[in-house]
Amino acid sequence: MKNHLVARPGVSVKTALSRWRQNLFVFQGTASRSEFWKVIGLWLAAWIVVDIVAMAVWIYTLHSLAANPPSAQTGSIWEERAFQVWFGIVTCYGLFWLLFTVLNAGLGARRLQDAGTPGWVFWFCMIPPGLMVVLILCALPEKTPYAHPGSLTQER
């Protein structure tokens, strides 16, 4: 089968990232738990950085607005500026979530197939409660045991 990927348990972070990058939109085949969780771990680290930056911007905005409290004339401008910053942060979170979902769809589908679940179930992570279900399914052990790692090859 063309573009069929065979899962490799115990891959390194470098190998996991390489396989993820090369097979972004490949939905056939399987991905091991270690391959999946190493990539998701790096995405989580990126999420933490985005979260820290967003909270720093929000705190700075509130601090600067608190230094100039609203008056009768500037009340609506003060509230509008706070809303604009809040809306920008929420938009950044939404774009990051969408980017995460689209770029990890192939990897998630392959991981779910390795665990014996249909790959299309990964799209449930588009809704927050569905993300928890998908992550639990991705944590399940593989459906069939792996052969010796030296005998696994990637077909192109």
Side-chain angles (χ1 to χ4, degrees), residues 57-120:
V57 168
W58 182 243
I59 290 169
Y60 174 77
T61 301
L62 291 180
H63 177 67
S64 65
L65 290 176
N68 300 317
S71 62
Q73 293 86 13
T74 63
S76 63
I77 295 171
W78 192 84
E79 291 170 353
E80 182 179 325
R81 183 164 296 144
F83 175 77
Q84 288 171 348
V85 171
W86 174 83
F87 186 74
I89 290 171
V90 170
T91 302
C92 286
Y93 281 141
L95 290 175
F96 190 87
W97 186 274
L98 183 64
L99 185 68
F100 166 82
T101 304
V102 170
L103 292 181
N104 290 304
L107 177 64
R110 290 192 312 272
R111 174 65 207 127
L112 288 169
Q113 289 167 173
D114 187 45
T117 307
W120 60 265

Side-chain angles (χ1 to χ4, degrees), residues 4-135:
H4 180 73
L5 296 174
V6 178
R8 295 181 184 171
V11 298
S12 67
V13 174
K14 183 179 177 181
T15 304
L17 282 175
S18 175
R19 286 174 56 97
W20 170 75
R21 186 180 43 82
Q22 291 172 353
N23 303 298
L24 275 176
F25 301 108
V26 176
F27 294 90
Q28 296 176 340
T30 58
S32 67
R33 280 190 287 185
S34 65
E35 181 181 345
F36 177 80
W37 288 110
K38 286 176 182 172
V39 171
I40 297 304
L42 291 172
W43 274 94
L44 179 62
W47 176 263
I48 290 170
V49 170
V50 167
D51 195 35
I52 289 171
V53 169
M55 289 303 110
V57 168
W58 182 243
I59 290 169
Y60 174 77
T61 301
L62 291 180
H63 177 67
S64 65
L65 290 176
N68 300 317
S71 62
Q73 293 86 13
T74 63
S76 63
I77 295 171
W78 192 84
E79 291 170 353
E80 182 179 325
R81 183 164 296 144
F83 175 77
Q84 288 171 348
V85 171
W86 174 83
F87 186 74
I89 290 171
V90 170
T91 302
C92 286
Y93 281 141
L95 290 175
F96 190 87
W97 186 274
L98 183 64
L99 185 68
F100 166 82
T101 304
V102 170
L103 292 181
N104 290 304
L107 177 64
R110 290 192 312 272
R111 174 65 207 127
L112 288 169
Q113 289 167 173
D114 187 45
T117 307
W120 60 265
V121 172
F122 183 79
W123 292 109
F124 282 128
C125 73
M126 290 295 284
I127 54 174
L131 176 63
M132 296 309 296
V133 172
V134 169
L135 291 178

